[in-house]
Amino acid sequence: VFYQEIASFRYMDRNKQPLSQRAAYQHTIARTQNYLVTILGSHRLDYGKLLARDFNKGFFGLFPKSDQPIEFMIFKVLQDGSVDLIDTVESKSVGMVWHLSNCYEDNCGRIIIDATTGSIVDQDQKDKSDVGNSSLSRFTIDLKSGTVDIDTLVSRSINGANYTAASYEFPNINYKYHQKQYRYSYILADAYESSSYIAKADLDLGTEVRLKPSENWVPSEPVFVPRSVEGDEDEDDGVVLTVAVDTKLGNSSLVIADGKTMKILATVKAPIVCNFGLHCTYVPHEEEFLQVTSKY
């Protein structure tokens, strides 16, 4: 366990404190082989609303819009497992960083963070994230130059082909490729909408394969399960799991699709109706499952 002060607060100053010094909204962190990265979004805490317990516009209403760029606090992971803050790098992008697809260090030693990003949250939505225009983006952090480059990996337009998806969220990959260069990301497109579907994104070719068996089919976060735990099979050799709701029949099911073709292999009906849009996870061994569930 380590402690690192990210922002300080003076009660009497409240919102007089500069935005750059206020507590930032943080939705995720990234961990590569040698670094831990804390991602500071553009939303900065309104201390006055917090002290007044003003939740009139939901949780996100405490974090008003700002032009403060996204920042990355870089910690070096030491041999004993502790970390040391080595730099805070400011990007040229304004917005939110939501969920990680992957993070690793490239051959040049740069930190690569692939994550879903979106514009500033609309406070009038009352506690809803602005996933309506999110995309899968790549942040390339060069520690030598202290710069951050950002590229869009998956968005409404892929290689000139216009897709109907307004958003891409909850990306997942073959977990054996965590902290490594990879090619495929399985994503929930049009999250929380009746038009939502599962997309297999090929990040090398800039193409996607869709899973959407019917108009009434509303999936949740996809999870990729490799064919074997220790094998050296292809990156996309396995199955994709998602919990889906049939809005016409009013039931839920676990859908199992081929990781290569995205064709459905099996459908297992659930005894209850599950909410769509939920986070999902897969644990390969019973022992690990017990370790995870014991935390909750």
Side-chain angles (χ1 to χ4, degrees):
V1 177
F2 71 96
Y3 170 82
Q4 175 66 47
E5 183 178 285
I6 296 179
S8 59
F9 169 67
R10 294 176 60 86
Y11 183 86
M12 297 305 296
D13 287 350
R14 300 198 179 190
N15 288 344
K16 295 179 181 179
Q17 192 164 351
L19 285 174
S20 60
Q21 299 177 16
R22 295 189 200 176
Y25 180 82
Q26 302 172 64
H27 201 81
T28 189
I29 61 174
R31 172 72 161 88
T32 67
Q33 183 176 358
N34 296 297
Y35 300 98
L36 177 70
V37 183
T38 299
I39 305 172
L40 310 181
S42 295
H43 283 236
R44 300 301 163 106
L45 185 59
D46 185 321
Y47 293 135
K49 286 189 175 183
L50 177 65
L51 293 173
R53 298 183 180 181
D54 181 1
F55 294 95
N56 182 53
K57 293 186 176 180
F59 172 75
F60 286 113
L62 297 177
F63 295 84
K65 296 180 179 181
S66 82
D67 294 327
Q68 184 66 28
I70 299 171
E71 296 179 288
F72 299 85
M73 295 183 68
I74 315 295
F75 297 85
K76 177 71 174 180
V77 179
L78 306 178
Q79 291 185 349
D80 61 0
S82 62
V83 296
D84 181 34
L85 178 63
I86 59 174
D87 201 358
T88 299
V89 184
E90 184 178 283
S91 74
K92 296 181 180 180
S93 302
V94 175
M96 305 295 292
V97 179
W98 297 111
H99 301 105
L100 289 182
S101 177
N102 201 6
C103 48
Y104 58 92
E105 297 158 41
D106 67 9
N107 295 330
C108 298
R110 298 174 299 184
I111 299 173
I112 308 297
I113 299 176
D114 294 347
T116 52
T117 58
S119 60
I120 295 296
V121 171
D122 183 356
Q123 298 177 32
D124 292 330
Q125 293 184 27
K126 290 189 177 181
D127 209 20
K128 293 182 180 179
S129 60
D130 184 16
V131 297
N133 59 354
S134 61
S135 60
L136 182 60
S137 303
R138 171 165 293 175
F139 295 94
T140 302
I141 304 173
D142 190 327
L143 294 177
K144 294 181 180 180
S145 62
T147 59
V148 181
D149 293 327
I150 181 172
D151 297 293
T152 300
L153 298 178
V154 183
S155 66
R156 285 189 174 185
S157 178
I158 302 178
N159 280 356
N162 292 320
Y163 293 97
T164 58
S167 69
Y168 293 90
E169 254 302 344
F170 306 116
N172 268 283
I173 68 169
N174 184 335
Y175 63 81
K176 293 194 292 186
Y177 284 78
H178 284 166
Q179 300 183 353
K180 302 177 183 178
Q181 294 190 28
Y182 70 116
R183 179 174 179 174
Y184 302 108
S185 187
Y186 298 86
I187 311 172
L188 177 62
D190 275 356
Y192 310 116
E193 301 291 340
S194 60
S195 59
S196 63
Y197 62 92
I198 302 299
K200 174 189 178 182
D202 187 325
L203 305 184
D204 288 351
L205 299 179
T207 58
E208 69 170 24
V209 179
R210 292 187 180 191
L211 174 60
K212 179 71 172 178
S214 72
E215 294 182 357
N216 306 313
W217 193 79
V218 182
S220 296
E221 177 179 13
V223 177
F224 183 85
V225 180
R227 183 172 299 276
S228 65
V229 176
E230 300 178 353
D232 58 354
E233 65 276 355
D234 293 340
E235 181 182 340
D236 59 349
D237 188 5
V239 296
V240 180
L241 308 178
T242 185
V243 176
V245 175
D246 189 311
T247 57
K248 184 177 181 179
L249 299 178
N251 58 30
S252 298
S253 58
L254 173 64
V255 178
I256 306 171
D258 187 289
K260 288 181 175 290
T261 65
M262 296 301 287
K263 294 182 178 180
I264 295 179
L265 301 175
T267 299
V268 183
K269 290 186 178 180
I272 60 172
V273 177
C274 303
N275 295 338
F276 60 85
L278 294 178
H279 279 298
C280 302
T281 189
Y282 166 79
V283 181
H285 299 294
E286 182 179 359
E287 293 80 5
E288 295 180 24
F289 173 76
L290 294 175
Q291 292 176 7
V292 171
T293 55
S294 65
K295 298 179 181 179
Y296 303 97

